[in-house]
Amino acid sequence: MQPIQDAFPLLQTPKKIFITTHHKPDGDAIGSMLALYHYLTKKGHNVTPVSPGEIPDFLNWMPGVGNMLNYEEHPKESLSALAECDIIFCVDFNDFSRTKHLTQQLADAPQPKILIDHHLFPAPVWDYGISIPEKSSACEMVYDFINLNQDNKLIDLEMAACLYTGLMMDTGSFRFPVTTASVHAMAADLKHRGLDHTRIHEEVYDSWSEGRMRFLGYVLIEKMEVFRKYNSAIITLSRKDMNLFKVQNGDTEGLVNYPLSISGIKFATLITERCDEVKLSFRSKGNFDVSKFARQYFDGGGHFNASGGRTKTNFIDTIVYFKKILSDIHPQ
Ligand code: 5GP
Ligand code: MN
């Protein structure tokens, strides 16, 4: 992969640009994709942002969402945008399979591909790009990319809102260890432009339905198991649980973080039964590397303190297997 600066000459004249991100996108995925969309559009390009799937309701307010294609709703338009583009940007993921539906199409696409990402171990499939696992978020990296182009003054309130959303969400509202001084400096820069950070926080975190709040209560009482011996806790959600509470897309967001608020709990896992697989989300405080854990046991990856994985083993057997691993490895 050549440094991202080497791709700048490609962007000197107006181009058709396709941007995508990972499946089940979060605020950093959509925020970085839309911020880049606004920026490249301002630079005179014709840009199509494509989400591989549905986005959660709490991100529906984001500037530019209306110009984005959801592959699951519009597969034909999404694929023709890909076929017709001159350049492909990929943000907030580093392996084509993370897009689920676009895996093969991206692999087969002949156009130059540019990566902007902060996950470990990028697949060797990009022509140009920047991959820095120490960075808080893809949004911070899009901001750096804009500055590298000496275009800081082009950042408007719409771009600022997109960038801030990913920065806020991927740093756990500025509390995770990835929250560097540069993260705060970026937030300050956005704030100087008139960013309404309170509104963004409310849109993302205080827009729950009553049902979602009651579902959280149920989950914490009935579905969380704490293993003091292993400094760990798990939350297990079957399809039946989710149907009972009519759980919507995005309603399980953030659940995995709750056990880490218990003193002494260093490792939290959410095991969710999906139609075609079982999804696992891992979070840790301190020195337990959940990225390594996800890679080793659940075909996954991510970051040191936040990762995910999946398995085709059924839900009940996955829970049994997970508990066995826990007793074998004794997370500290
Ligand atoms: P989440 O638990 O929120 O789905 O994911 C947490 C982090 O782990 C995110 O940065 C996400 O990109 C990464 N992640 C989640 N699932 C997978 C996976 O199956 N494979 C890889 N490589 N990373 C994942
Ligand atoms: Mn991210």
Side-chain angles (χ1 to χ4, degrees), residues 14 40 45 47 54 62 83 88 95 110 137 146 166 180 183 185 189 198 213 253 256 293 315 332:
L40 293 171
H45 302 289
V47 191
E54 202 185 352
M62 289 185 74
I88 298 168
D95 189 322
S137 53
I146 294 170
T180 56
V183 165
D189 180 21
T198 305
M213 185 60 77
E253 170 77 33
V256 63
F293 181 87
F315 180 63
Q332 291 304 311

Side-chain angles (χ1 to χ4, degrees), residues 22 26 28-29 92 117-119 136-139 166 170 303:
H22 59 83
D26 54 15
D28 190 37
D92 201 34
D117 181 60
H118 67 133
H119 294 88
S136 65
S137 53
C139 278
D170 266 24
H303 314 280

Side-chain angles (χ1 to χ4, degrees), residues 22 98 119 279 281-283 299-303 306-310:
H22 59 83
R98 296 275 292 127
H119 294 88
K279 158 89 185 108
S281 283
F282 308 109
R283 299 291 186 272
D299 190 26
H303 314 280
S307 69
R310 59 212 59 253

Side-chain angles (χ1 to χ4, degrees), residues 54 84 101 108 211 284 302:
E54 202 185 352
E84 287 163 18
H101 307 302
D108 294 343
S284 68

Side-chain angles (χ1 to χ4, degrees), residues 11-16 43-46 86:
L11 298 164
Q12 289 304 311
T13 51
K15 292 283 176 356
K16 282 189 192 152
K43 296 288 280 181
H45 302 289
N46 180 344
D86 305 309

Side-chain angles (χ1 to χ4, degrees), residues 11 14 17 34-47 146 151-160 193:
L11 298 164
I17 298 179
L34 291 180
L36 191 60
Y37 157 74
H38 290 299
Y39 169 64
L40 293 171
T41 303
K42 270 196 167 179
K43 296 288 280 181
H45 302 289
N46 180 344
V47 191
I146 294 170
D151 280 329
N152 184 272
K153 59 187 175 307
L154 289 188
I155 298 176
D156 57 21
L157 278 178
E158 292 192 323
M159 283 155 73
R193 288 159 210 274

